[in-house]
Amino acid sequence: MTVPELSGTQEAILAAYAGLIEELGSDDVSYRVIARRAGIAERTVFRNYPTRVDLLLATAAWIEATLFAREESHSIFDVPLAIREAMERYDARPELAHVVAETAMRGVSGAAPSPGRAQLERLLDAEVPALDAAQRRAVIAALSHLDSVGTWVTYRREFGMDRRDIADAAAWAAEAVLDSIRDRVTPSRDTL
């Protein structure tokens, strides 16, 4: 997920809010407390983020792009490992993971769906170009869903899974999705 260019003040506001979310939860944080933590005037927070929704969306995008950032996979078949690592990062910072997930799952206007979709599409085009449109869409949809903080929240809340079980389940499911296309991989020029 990309975050628009932020000023130093905006970065300070979002970092302060993210830190306070981890300490207090998202409901108990006032603009005054955020401003104090960021070392700025309360009016400056309002000027940059006039509504709670604006602040929440910007913070969720910032968290996803900075605190939960990841390297791009070099192969579609590396994605299960990336998903495992993402689940472990979410589990290490559950309050922030919940904020990102709930922003996306509630469909808050402006929330960015499937931040890794473009990368998945590029990898599939390069490695498995023979997939028809329906198969391609199904693989991308399944991997995008598995590679989301929403999956982590579901496994944690609905199934009471711990960190390791969440990472194992998400990676296993991604492997199962990819198993159906392994025999269609186009060899790269390096292997010919």
Side-chain angles (χ1 to χ4, degrees):
M1 173 181 286
T2 59
V3 176
E5 190 70 30
L6 298 172
S7 69
T9 299
Q10 290 169 324
E11 182 90 21
I13 291 167
L14 300 178
Y17 187 38
L20 290 163
I21 288 169
E22 284 190 297
E23 293 171 29
L24 307 171
S26 61
D27 294 337
D28 299 327
V29 181
S30 70
Y31 273 39
R32 181 177 314 151
V33 172
I34 295 167
R36 192 173 308 136
R37 173 69 62 91
I40 59 175
E42 185 176 359
R43 182 180 324 165
T44 304
V45 178
F46 278 107
R47 223 178 292 130
N48 283 275
Y49 304 103
T51 70
R52 275 284 211 211
V53 170
D54 294 331
L55 178 60
L56 189 61
L57 285 171
T59 303
W62 181 84
I63 291 167
E64 189 83 82
T66 59
L67 303 178
F68 295 148
R70 65 184 79 176
E71 292 182 28
E72 285 198 18
S73 297
H74 298 290
S75 167
I76 194 71
F77 299 101
D78 294 338
V79 170
L81 178 59
I83 291 172
R84 169 185 292 285
E85 292 167 353
M87 295 299 139
E88 290 172 347
R89 277 193 301 280
Y90 300 145
D91 205 81
R93 301 184 93 167
E95 289 294 331
L96 298 180
H98 280 56
V99 166
V100 173
E102 291 187 20
T103 300
M105 292 183 348
R106 287 183 183 173
V108 177
S109 178
S114 305
R117 180 177 176 178
Q119 179 194 11
L120 293 172
E121 290 173 345
R122 281 192 311 276
L123 292 172
L124 270 180
D125 287 345
E127 295 178 72
V128 196
L131 288 181
D132 67 41
Q135 293 168 324
R136 185 176 188 276
R137 185 174 50 248
V139 168
I140 290 169
L143 292 176
S144 293
H145 175 71
L146 288 168
D147 192 15
S148 72
V149 69
T151 296
W152 176 83
V153 169
T154 300
Y155 289 177
R156 169 70 72 193
R157 284 185 184 168
E158 299 296 321
F159 298 103
M161 298 170 92
D162 66 17
R163 178 184 195 148
R164 183 173 178 202
D165 290 343
I166 291 169
D168 287 347
W172 177 84
E175 287 287 354
V177 168
L178 293 172
D179 280 347
S180 68
I181 64 168
R182 282 187 199 282
D183 62 338
R184 297 191 213 159
V185 173
T186 300
S188 71
R189 289 187 178 142
D190 297 337
T191 60
L192 293 178

